[in-house]
Amino acid sequence: MYDYIIVGAGLYGAIFAHEAMKAGKSCLVVERRSHIGGNIYTKEIEGIQVHQYGAHIFHTSNKDVWDYIGQFATFNRYTNCPVAYYKGQMYNMPFNMNTFHKIWGVITPAEAKAKIEEQVKEYGVKEPKNLEEQAISLVGKDIYEILVKGYTEKQWGRRATELPPEIIKRLPVRLTYDNNYFNDLYQGIPVGGYTQIIEKMLEGAKVRLNVDYLKEKENLRPLGKKVVYTGPVDAYFDYCFGELEYRTVRFETEILDTDNYQGNAVVNYTEYEVPYTRIIEHKHFEFGTQEKTVISREYPVTWKKGDEPYYPVNDEKNGALYARYKELADREEDILFGGRLGLYRYMDMHHVVDAALQAARAELEE
């Protein structure tokens, strides 16, 4: 009998397995997909590490998290500096002095600040009732229409006037000529991709791919003393209270016979009329010089049962529904729920590392 059955070979499950095995425990890892790595899975195509489930840029200000992940790969100095395409023009993201100079011709931070304040004042909404009102009240009409409106509506599948203001509590406005998207102390991409990290974490574990734990539960559950479950929490309880909502993404990936398609790893497309939200050119994550290139277009899609769930829709309605599932989860014996789907929480990679380490340490110290 295994000490732990770990459901899901993504980052959370792999870290838990690694820590458990370090403590002398045995682990059976079952994964529904045909590969390990979850959404951070990378696959080599034309000598390029392709992020199969969208761009993953590791960033954190937590030195413990950075040092931990650094055991498993060498990280390069990649800095995330996305640009946005809107009606034939390119703009720097996040909003900074380069953006404001492009839109308004302003030179100094004081000029940019005055321009934003002027537009916010002109709009005059004191208590925003939807996302559109919230965004314009923070950054003014020009930035909202060029860089926020279309992208957000595509991402959420609803008009901005139908979305709650809480989704955009604040918008990062930087009054410096700095295109670095993240403020974190540490940032980079693992040289050779993310899959190697999961492979190293899972060394010593029994891994079974193409296995749906929920369908095989009757046979699998007796094989382990405890279960670490990282799948959708509502699916675990057979959707007894109804389905939690997610957004999902469809990817169109192409190999192109050119050495450089767009000159940047990430280009956002902020017009609503363009059906995809961004194009990723994977070689730029590792400063590639290959003769060919690989690009992926990302299309947001309304999730339905059977689709891959990507982003939990953390609004009030879903929060209340998740609270009911959490009550059930807390009553389960010898089962730990974790990860983005098990906890129904949007988490960046550094959040996942931290949460998995904390859960593993708390469990293994008992």
Side-chain angles (χ1 to χ4, degrees):
M1 179 180 273
Y2 294 93
D3 292 302
Y4 292 98
I5 297 173
I6 294 170
V7 181
L11 188 57
Y12 190 102
I15 289 170
F16 195 101
H18 183 74
E19 293 303 301
M21 288 185 293
K22 273 197 331 193
K25 306 294 185 183
S26 57
C27 296
L28 168 64
V29 180
V30 295
E31 169 57 54
R32 185 175 51 79
R33 290 172 174 168
S34 61
H35 59 76
I36 61 170
N39 285 357
I40 68 170
Y41 172 66
T42 49
K43 180 182 178 181
E44 188 172 310
I45 300 173
E46 297 290 340
I48 298 161
Q49 288 295 328
V50 174
H51 296 215
Q52 294 285 97
Y53 300 95
H56 284 82
I57 298 136
F58 202 95
H59 60 96
T60 183
S61 292
N62 184 328
K63 189 174 187 302
D64 290 340
V65 165
W66 182 248
D67 289 345
Y68 183 83
I69 204 75
Q71 300 173 87
F72 305 101
T74 299
F75 279 73
N76 67 17
R77 58 173 182 80
Y78 178 81
T79 301
N80 190 29
C81 299
V83 290
Y85 175 95
Y86 180 81
K87 295 189 175 178
Q89 297 293 316
M90 304 296 282
Y91 300 89
N92 288 106
M93 298 284 287
F95 323 134
N96 63 48
M97 286 304 300
N98 291 307
T99 323
F100 308 142
H101 176 69
K102 179 74 181 270
I103 294 173
W104 298 313
V106 296
I107 305 284
T108 68
E111 289 173 323
K113 196 174 177 184
K115 191 73 181 172
I116 292 169
E117 286 174 355
E118 175 194 318
Q119 290 200 354
V120 169
K121 188 178 177 184
E122 194 178 304
Y123 189 59
V125 172
K126 294 285 189 285
E127 291 183 21
K129 292 182 173 59
N130 57 53
L131 186 144
E132 178 165 289
E133 292 179 355
Q134 176 76 12
I136 299 176
S137 298
L138 289 168
V139 294
K141 194 175 180 189
D142 291 344
I143 297 169
Y144 168 70
E145 290 193 343
I146 294 170
L147 297 172
V148 178
K149 186 178 191 292
Y151 189 93
T152 303
E153 290 182 342
K154 286 188 287 188
Q155 190 78 1
W156 289 94
R158 281 190 265 168
R159 292 297 185 183
T161 50
E162 299 167 0
L163 290 165
E166 292 77 28
I167 290 175
I168 296 183
K169 288 177 182 167
R170 61 183 182 84
L171 284 166
V173 173
R174 296 186 187 164
L175 298 171
T176 60
Y177 288 92
D178 179 6
N179 295 323
N180 180 4
Y181 194 83
F182 301 119
N183 283 322
D184 286 311
L185 194 55
Y186 309 105
Q187 182 176 176
I189 301 277
V191 178
Y194 283 98
T195 305
Q196 59 174 326
I197 293 175
I198 306 299
E199 285 172 347
K200 289 171 188 170
M201 287 177 175
L202 292 178
E203 279 175 12
K206 171 69 175 172
V207 179
R208 291 176 57 185
L209 302 175
N210 300 303
V211 174
D212 187 327
Y213 175 78
L214 297 180
K215 289 180 181 172
E216 303 284 335
K217 191 173 167 185
E218 205 173 297
N219 299 323
L220 289 170
R221 183 61 188 93
L223 301 180
K225 295 173 187 171
K226 289 191 174 183
V227 173
V228 177
Y229 177 82
T230 68
V233 64
D234 53 347
Y236 183 87
F237 294 106
D238 200 22
Y239 307 101
C240 63
F241 299 134
E243 294 170 19
L244 290 164
E245 285 182 274
Y246 300 90
R247 293 293 288 165
T248 189
V249 184
R250 177 172 62 83
F251 300 96
E252 275 183 7
T253 298
E254 280 185 79
I255 300 166
L256 301 178
D257 200 11
T258 178
D259 65 341
N260 191 354
Y261 174 72
Q262 63 186 19
N264 206 47
V266 182
V267 177
N268 290 352
Y269 285 77
T270 59
E271 288 174 66
Y272 185 78
E273 291 71 25
V274 177
Y276 41 86
T277 49
R278 59 185 182 174
I279 297 179
I280 307 300
E281 187 169 9
H282 301 268
K283 72 190 304 178
H284 296 304
F285 288 131
E286 294 190 48
F287 315 109
T289 56
Q290 297 89 347
E291 288 182 7
K292 294 187 179 183
T293 195
V294 181
I295 64 165
S296 298
R297 292 181 180 85
E298 297 188 11
Y299 297 81
V301 179
T302 300
W303 178 86
K304 63 183 185 305
K305 206 189 291 186
D307 291 343
E308 201 61 57
Y310 278 85
Y311 306 109
V313 180
N314 291 131
D315 59 13
E316 196 174 327
K317 182 186 81 170
N318 285 289
L321 183 55
Y322 169 65
R324 297 177 73 191
Y325 280 118
K326 187 176 185 306
E327 276 184 33
L328 291 185
D330 290 343
R331 291 204 294 268
E332 287 284 303
E333 284 188 19
D334 298 327
I335 296 191
L336 304 171
F337 289 80
R340 186 174 43 93
L341 304 178
L343 300 173
Y344 195 67
R345 185 191 313 155
Y346 179 78
M347 294 195 277
D348 283 331
M349 285 182 288
H350 62 289
H351 297 135
V352 174
V353 174
D354 191 39
L357 281 175
Q358 287 192 41
R361 288 165 182 168
E363 166 70 16
L364 296 162
E365 282 168 9
E366 283 184 1

